[in-house]
Amino acid sequence: MTVLITGANRGIGLALATAYAKTGHEVIGTSRSHSPGQDAAITWHTLHVQTPESQADLAKAVRGSPISLLVCNAGVFLDRGEALGDGFPTEQWADTFATNVTGVFLTVQSLLPNLRLAPSAKIAIIASKMGSTARAPGGSYIYRASKAAVVNLGRNLAADLKADGIAVGIYHPGWVRTDMGGPAAAVSVEQSADGLAQRIDHLSMATTGCFEAFDGDALPY
């Protein structure tokens, strides 16, 4: 099958792309900037997920090619360490939502013709349990709000894409040792990617709209 992963140049995205390529799948990776020789087993395209023009360029590049799995992985966490009293500037809200929410929607929208060409296509949205409204310990308001929004987006996409036979899964990758998660995080990139791949493999029309952790735990919305 053909797998397209956004934000695939590092961290969880790169681990997933590498794993799928090693198991014989055709993998398309996107990033905001990349070296064409980064991984010969992966076909690379530049994509700024929040930019309609960049989305149109990607759609043109893959036009007519069935995509069996779209992994919306690109994301940012800009408000770490911000204080409630005087932090969380408006530009952080705009930039975070442009990538974490609008970027996911635009990617699905631009690649929907490709997904419709593949039998039993799937969309995997990499969200976070920090977006669960049932788990609200405070702080990280922008990131939490964006992930809550993308969970809601995924649930509504699952409803609308049932008629197309496209299953949508929403996943928490764990607290992962990446640039975003930091060195003290509990989960390795490989553990997260392996768990996510297993969750995605089990995704079907019977489970579309699910919100799960990489280890299989069902998460409250």
Side-chain angles (χ1 to χ4, degrees):
M1 68 177 180
T2 298
V3 180
L4 192 147
I5 304 172
T6 65
N9 59 313
R10 60 182 180 177
I12 298 166
L14 181 57
L16 278 170
T18 302
Y20 279 120
K22 284 182 178 178
T23 52
H25 299 296
E26 179 182 353
V27 179
I28 301 169
T30 80
S31 67
R32 286 176 292 183
S33 61
H34 66 271
S35 167
Q38 190 170 24
D39 191 325
I42 301 168
T43 300
W44 292 96
H45 291 282
T46 299
L47 176 64
H48 297 260
V49 294
Q50 73 275 33
T51 307
E53 295 79 9
S54 184
Q55 292 280 0
D57 288 343
L58 176 63
K60 182 178 180 180
V62 299
R63 183 175 297 157
S65 301
I67 292 175
S68 299
L69 171 61
L70 169 61
V71 181
C72 295
N73 169 73
V76 295
F77 187 171
L78 303 179
D79 59 317
R80 184 183 283 107
E82 292 287 338
L84 179 58
D86 58 2
F88 304 97
T90 55
E91 61 268 21
Q92 284 188 358
W93 286 93
D95 292 345
T96 299
F97 271 74
T99 298
N100 292 1
V101 187
T102 308
V104 172
F105 180 80
L106 291 177
T107 302
V108 172
Q109 188 177 54
S110 65
L111 297 176
L112 190 54
N114 305 81
L115 291 161
R116 285 173 168 159
L117 289 173
S120 303
K122 301 179 183 183
I123 298 170
I125 297 173
I126 307 303
S128 171
K129 69 179 182 181
M130 290 175 70
S132 169
T133 56
R135 298 181 176 183
S140 301
Y141 295 102
I142 302 174
Y143 183 76
R144 289 183 190 278
S146 74
K147 290 304 184 180
V150 86
V151 169
N152 182 275
L153 173 64
R155 293 280 291 169
N156 283 283
L157 285 171
D160 281 340
L161 293 175
K162 280 184 179 178
D164 291 296
I166 299 172
V168 181
I170 309 155
Y171 301 102
H172 167 61
W175 181 27
V176 188
R177 290 190 291 275
T178 61
D179 290 345
M180 183 182 292
V187 180
S188 72
V189 171
E190 293 75 19
Q191 286 174 308
S192 176
D194 181 64
L196 289 169
Q198 291 183 47
R199 302 281 73 73
I200 294 168
D201 185 56
H202 286 92
L203 176 64
S204 69
M205 294 309 299
T207 60
T208 189
C210 63
F211 183 24
E212 298 177 338
F214 77 103
D215 58 5
D217 282 351
L219 298 172
Y221 301 109

